[in-house]
Amino acid sequence: MIASIPRRVSRRVAPVVLLVLAAASMSERARGDGPGAPSDEQRSAARILGTDGVKAAMAGDCVTAVDKLTRAEALVHAPTTAVPLAECQIKLGKIVAGTEILNRILREPLAPNAPPSWVDAKRRAQPLFDAAEPRIAKLRIHVDRPSGTQGDPEVTVDGEPMSAVLLDNIRPTDPGKHRIEAKQTGFFPASVDVTLGEGEAKTVTLALERTPGTAPTPTPSATTAPTTAPTTAPTTAPTTTSRPPPTGPNRTPGYVVIGFGVAGLAVGSIFGLLALNNKSNLDKSCPTKVCPSTSQTDIDGMHTNAILSTVGFAAGALGVGIGGVLLLTAKGSDETPPAPTTGGVTVRPWIGLGSAGVSGSFQ
């Protein structure tokens, strides 16, 4: 294959072939087998794509080379694949894309055990970048619109959307002919063609004009007299005040407080049962009301559980009582407060040993 290529071309690209083939054979060593590492299928496919891409580059078919090498890079990244990809991009006039690939290669650190072919590829990237970077043109795009226009226009360069942050700022652009278009709702679209030389800087302006019927309504002049005088005095229509739709009583706080109360009663019940269990054990261990030292744990447990049970019942009873009051007194926005009365609701929580409750009355 190489013998059929002109000797001048072969001398220039032969090192690239050797680098790519070396990278393909050592991709497992470079990338490892940890989490996120490419699979065996991906490595094998990247090796085939990389070899085919370099062969296409050697034959002068950079369009095919870019396609193959881009796919190989997407599977397994290697400087030995990326460098010929960048070189072909530059040859096709995609200088911005090619120099960005070279810039990434120059910035990424190599592992101490990186293959020599990777080191050589990174070394080749620097002179390629230095030669191509000054060829990039600089394009500044300005969109002229009426003052007070809201929002950013949609700008495309050769059909590709351009970020609004690049408006009135330098946009690195490949040399050659380009078409810039701008559009915005309520305006006629505008476009302009520009040709950039290598390293040239230009500014282009696109003017957006309003479409008919979208121009701002002019303010009437203060000196313009009315064409006809009113024959009758204007009548003032009665004003009405809108009233928000009524809402029902908000009983959520009452339900929440009752929920806490029920939880407290449950806690009190659990510790009450534990206290009763401790007492049952003591009745068996202390038939004569005199307990051995081994029963001290049950004695302490009974006292602790009895206290926690009492606290739980007290908190639960109080929560249920307050929640009930909140439910009974809940009102919505469509309800008017009742006339003052001398009556009311009285809630009296009561607490006993291992038990608690709530009593109330209506007046």
Side-chain angles (χ1 to χ4, degrees):
M1 180 68 181
I2 297 179
S4 63
I5 301 174
R7 184 175 303 171
R8 178 171 54 86
V9 177
S10 177
R11 284 199 302 268
R12 186 172 67 251
V13 300
V16 179
V17 178
L18 297 176
L19 291 174
V20 172
L21 294 178
S25 64
M26 301 181 70
S27 59
E28 290 83 0
R29 170 188 169 190
R31 295 304 295 258
D33 296 316
S39 63
D40 292 338
E41 291 79 4
Q42 290 174 317
R43 291 190 181 101
S44 179
R47 186 180 301 112
I48 295 172
L49 288 168
T51 302
D52 291 344
V54 172
K55 288 180 180 179
M58 291 174 58
D61 185 5
C62 268
V63 174
T64 301
V66 167
D67 176 68
K68 298 289 186 181
L69 295 174
T70 299
R71 295 174 186 273
E73 272 289 289
L75 293 172
V76 178
H77 167 66
T80 45
T81 306
V83 169
L85 170 60
E87 197 168 11
C88 253
Q89 290 277 36
I90 294 172
K91 289 178 180 179
L92 291 175
K94 305 294 184 181
I95 304 177
V96 175
T99 53
E100 281 304 302
I101 295 174
L102 294 173
N103 191 38
R104 286 194 293 269
I105 295 173
L106 293 172
R107 289 179 179 273
E108 64 184 7
L110 291 178
N113 62 340
S117 57
W118 286 35
V119 178
D120 292 340
K122 185 170 183 178
R123 186 180 299 115
R124 289 185 62 247
Q126 188 65 62
L128 290 173
F129 178 83
D130 293 340
E133 197 270 340
R135 298 170 55 193
I136 298 175
K138 299 175 179 61
L139 178 64
R140 189 188 302 268
I141 300 174
H142 172 74
V143 178
D144 191 15
R145 300 176 296 165
S147 60
T149 303
Q150 301 296 321
D152 294 319
E154 298 178 17
V155 179
T156 59
V157 178
D158 299 328
E160 295 294 329
M162 186 189 80
S163 174
V165 300
L166 290 177
L167 287 173
D168 300 309
N169 287 285
I170 293 177
R171 178 187 186 272
T173 308
D174 294 321
K177 187 175 181 179
H178 301 278
R179 185 172 184 82
I180 298 95
E181 297 178 304
K183 62 181 181 179
Q184 188 170 358
T185 303
F187 294 86
F188 288 109
S191 62
V192 64
D193 294 324
V194 60
T195 301
L196 299 170
E198 292 188 356
E200 185 179 10
K202 279 188 178 181
T203 299
V204 296
T205 300
L206 297 93
L208 292 180
E209 298 181 359
R210 290 188 183 273
T211 55
T214 60
T217 304
T219 303
S221 173
T223 59
T224 303
T227 56
T228 58
T231 56
T232 59
T235 58
T236 303
T239 59
T240 59
T241 303
S242 60
R243 182 179 181 182
T247 59
N250 182 13
R251 296 189 173 91
T252 300
Y255 289 126
V256 171
V257 176
I258 287 178
F260 282 114
V262 172
L265 294 176
V267 171
S269 299
I270 292 172
F271 283 104
L273 292 175
L274 293 175
L276 292 175
N277 183 59
N278 294 134
K279 187 176 182 304
S280 176
N281 292 338
L282 290 174
D283 290 341
K284 295 177 182 178
S285 303
C286 314
T288 60
K289 305 301 180 180
V290 177
C291 298
S293 59
T294 56
S295 300
Q296 188 61 42
T297 300
D298 286 329
I299 295 173
D300 295 339
M302 182 183 70
H303 287 301
T304 300
N305 291 330
I307 292 173
L308 294 176
S309 174
T310 301
V311 172
F313 275 113
L318 186 60
V320 171
I322 295 175
V325 172
L326 293 175
L327 289 179
L328 293 174
T329 59
K331 294 184 180 299
S333 63
D334 58 335
E335 301 180 24
T336 57
T341 63
T342 57
V345 180
T346 302
V347 178
R348 303 183 185 88
W350 55 268
I351 303 173
L353 181 59
S355 62
V358 177
S359 63
S361 62
F362 295 89
Q363 300 177 354

